[in-house]
Amino acid sequence: MSDPVNPPSRESERRRRDVPIGVVMVGMAVIVWWPAFTLGAWHEVFFDDILAVWAASTAGFVFVLVEHRRVGQKLLRAFVLLVPSFWLLLNFIVDDQSTDLAAGLLALMGIFVVLVGLPFTLWVLVQITWPDLGGETPRRAKVSIAFVVVAVVGGSFLLGVNQSRFLTCEDFAISGNSEPPGCTPAGA
């Protein structure tokens, strides 16, 4: 409730509107850095990251089905949110030892799940939690969010590729992770 005697200044009003943008930017960056780092360090995205995308996209899918929007607006969002489920289903159908086209498509689908599914799922979840953010947020702010998240993904991937320059094999072992290929032994 605003104070009629001391109305908020323009600056404080702008800062108040900017807070959700900052929360979204930071939250998305925190979520995407680890899959990008693992892709750089281990040359793969770990199953738990992909299953986290699946869980979030499945919850988002259910919400999209029950939200009060026209069917046409729901279909594309619902379909893209099902991509991780399609990937999971293919994993049950395609044998891991297979070297045929289906195995190649499964690998491509896994990459698609991470590269498209994660950002899209994040954006839909942001729209679910802050419905006004999408419509009231200036395009410049949306571009800034996307730029920061893409920069964090790129930077995290490069850090993963170059992990041997600033981390040791022991750092990975102590943190409970396996040692990535090419890690630097402690004391080397």
Side-chain angles (χ1 to χ4, degrees):
M1 194 157 148
S2 65
D3 181 359
V5 177
N6 297 315
S9 69
R10 271 192 171 156
E11 184 178 329
S12 67
E13 190 63 29
R14 275 192 218 123
R15 277 188 300 210
R16 188 186 61 73
R17 283 193 318 256
D18 288 345
V19 168
I21 295 168
V23 169
V24 168
M25 192 180 292
V26 171
M28 289 178 88
V30 166
I31 291 169
V32 299
W33 85 268
W34 180 247
F37 182 85
T38 63
L39 188 60
W42 284 274
H43 313 297
E44 66 179 271
V45 177
F46 295 155
F47 74 90
D48 52 341
D49 295 322
I50 294 174
L51 290 177
V53 172
W54 170 79
S57 66
T58 300
F61 171 77
V62 171
F63 179 81
V64 165
L65 291 181
V66 299
E67 73 180 329
H68 299 288
R69 286 187 182 217
R70 290 182 301 208
V71 173
Q73 293 175 324
K74 292 180 182 187
L75 289 179
L76 179 61
R77 290 171 59 177
F79 175 76
V80 176
L81 288 169
L82 278 177
V83 168
S85 293
F86 292 141
W87 172 83
L88 195 57
L89 179 65
L90 281 174
N91 271 288
F92 282 99
I93 296 170
V94 176
D95 180 18
D96 280 351
Q97 307 306 321
S98 178
T99 58
D100 63 0
L101 180 62
L105 289 175
L106 182 63
L108 286 175
M109 185 81 151
I111 293 168
F112 182 77
V113 164
V114 173
L115 295 179
V116 174
L118 183 59
F120 187 81
T121 299
L122 287 173
W123 186 249
V124 170
L125 293 176
V126 165
Q127 290 179 324
I128 289 169
T129 56
W130 280 302
D132 297 336
L133 187 67
E136 294 179 2
T137 305
R139 180 180 294 258
R140 183 181 78 241
K142 292 176 187 177
V143 169
S144 295
I145 291 170
F147 177 78
V148 168
V149 172
V150 168
V152 167
V153 166
S156 297
F157 176 80
L158 291 175
L159 287 171
V161 168
N162 294 293
Q163 48 76 22
S164 62
R165 295 178 179 213
F166 65 99
L167 295 170
T168 66
C169 298
E170 187 176 62
D171 292 326
F172 289 98
I174 288 172
S175 70
N177 291 292
S178 64
E179 298 174 358
C183 68
T184 304

